[in-house]
Amino acid sequence: DQQVKQNSPSLSVQEGRISILNCDYTNSMFDYFLWYKKYPAEGPTFLISISSIKDKNEDGRFTVFLNKSAKHLSLHIVPSQPGDSAVYFCAASQDFNKFYFGSGTKLNVKP
Amino acid sequence: DTEVTQTPKHLVMGMTNKKSLKCEQHMGHRAMYWYKQKAKKPPELMFVYSYEKLSINESVPSRFSPECPNSSLLNLHLHALQPEDSALYLCASSHGYSNQPQHFGDGTRLSIL
């Protein structure tokens, strides 16, 4: 049973607009959440994270929002750029050595 | 450029072969991980080494044998694999304490004939 779910396998956005990627989790004990970006033929690259004591974390064009009551995580990319086209994985952890990953959302940013 | 280096990038082997996957990091990380990823699926944790000791084995079949010779190196020894073991094998490392991300290598694409 998957504890972290990304229900949208793909998302297409126009360059310059906002991209919103969503993630849901079932385990209320998760206390650390991350987003990774993956290009073809490369490993996942760490993008941004958030601790469960926060509800928002921002890094440049990337913002992660955490809604603990809804067990929902989202990644906002503003403005979206063609180079952002990749597969995005969310991940969650309750034990600093064990991470659970969603199945990924493929983002396509059209020029 | 990834700071976690995996070799080889691709490996094709028969079911009776013995081979090893290698992973190296020089970030001073004390935790290292092996993941298996099938197409359109999330990475699945296989093993975790913390301070060079095996701390997590996710009930992985014994045909996969991990080894951590030192804090910078992680190996995965393969023997008598099955065709369903064909997948992308990812290595990752982290500082090994809370609220620290994992950093991944580019993976080894393994095909079992």
Side-chain angles (χ1 to χ4, degrees):
Chain A
D1 187 29
Q2 215 169 326
Q3 298 189 53
V4 178
K5 294 181 182 178
Q6 293 175 255
N7 293 318
S8 298
S10 63
L11 175 67
S12 189
V13 170
Q14 203 67 37
E15 180 180 6
R17 307 294 288 266
I18 184 171
S19 295
I20 300 176
L21 296 101
N22 294 302
C23 180
D24 297 298
Y25 61 95
T26 57
N27 187 343
S28 58
M29 299 300 290
F30 287 147
D31 59 5
Y32 182 54
F33 303 87
L34 312 91
W35 284 95
Y36 285 85
K37 172 179 174 180
K38 186 179 184 304
Y39 293 118
E42 293 183 9
T45 301
F46 170 67
L47 200 55
I48 192 169
S49 64
I50 188 167
S51 162
S52 60
I53 62 173
K54 295 185 175 182
D55 53 21
K56 177 183 174 181
N57 188 27
E58 195 171 347
D59 183 1
R61 296 186 297 114
F62 303 91
T63 303
V64 56
F65 294 92
L66 177 62
N67 183 333
K68 289 186 289 291
S69 60
K71 296 192 183 69
H72 181 79
L73 185 70
S74 64
L75 175 68
H76 293 209
I77 307 173
V78 182
S80 301
Q81 299 172 354
D84 296 329
S85 297
V87 177
Y88 289 79
F89 290 95
C90 67
S93 172
Q94 65 174 99
D95 167 343
F96 57 84
N97 269 336
K98 204 163 178 178
F99 291 75
Y100 296 86
F101 286 81
S103 51
T105 296
K106 186 173 183 179
L107 174 66
N108 179 33
V109 180
K110 296 177 287 188
Chain B
D1 287 340
T2 182
E3 294 178 83
V4 177
T5 304
Q6 289 187 244
T7 55
K9 291 192 182 304
H10 301 275
L11 179 62
V12 180
M13 57 187 285
M15 288 190 284
T16 58
N17 292 154
K18 285 185 181 181
K19 295 285 185 184
S20 297
L21 309 184
K22 296 186 184 300
C23 175
E24 189 170 2
Q25 59 88 14
H26 294 288
M27 294 179 281
H29 288 172
R30 306 310 300 215
M32 296 187 77
Y33 312 77
W34 280 115
Y35 285 87
K36 174 183 177 179
Q37 187 177 22
K38 302 281 266 186
K40 300 191 189 304
K41 296 285 188 183
E44 294 177 18
L45 183 65
M46 299 174 72
F47 301 105
V48 180
Y49 273 83
S50 179
Y51 290 84
E52 301 166 43
K53 294 192 186 309
L54 183 66
S55 61
I56 296 176
N57 176 343
E58 290 288 277
S59 302
V60 179
S62 59
R63 58 186 184 268
F64 295 91
S65 175
E67 179 197 18
C68 188
N70 59 57
S71 60
S72 300
L73 293 174
L74 185 66
N75 299 321
L76 186 62
H77 303 298
L78 314 173
H79 175 53
L81 294 195
Q82 304 297 309
E84 61 264 28
D85 296 323
S86 297
L88 179 68
Y89 288 83
L90 291 163
C91 172
S93 69
S94 75
H95 286 291
Y97 47 84
S98 60
N99 291 5
Q100 291 294 314
Q102 295 178 332
H103 297 267
F104 284 84
D106 287 340
T108 294
R109 176 71 61 188
L110 177 65
S111 297
I112 307 301
L113 301 178

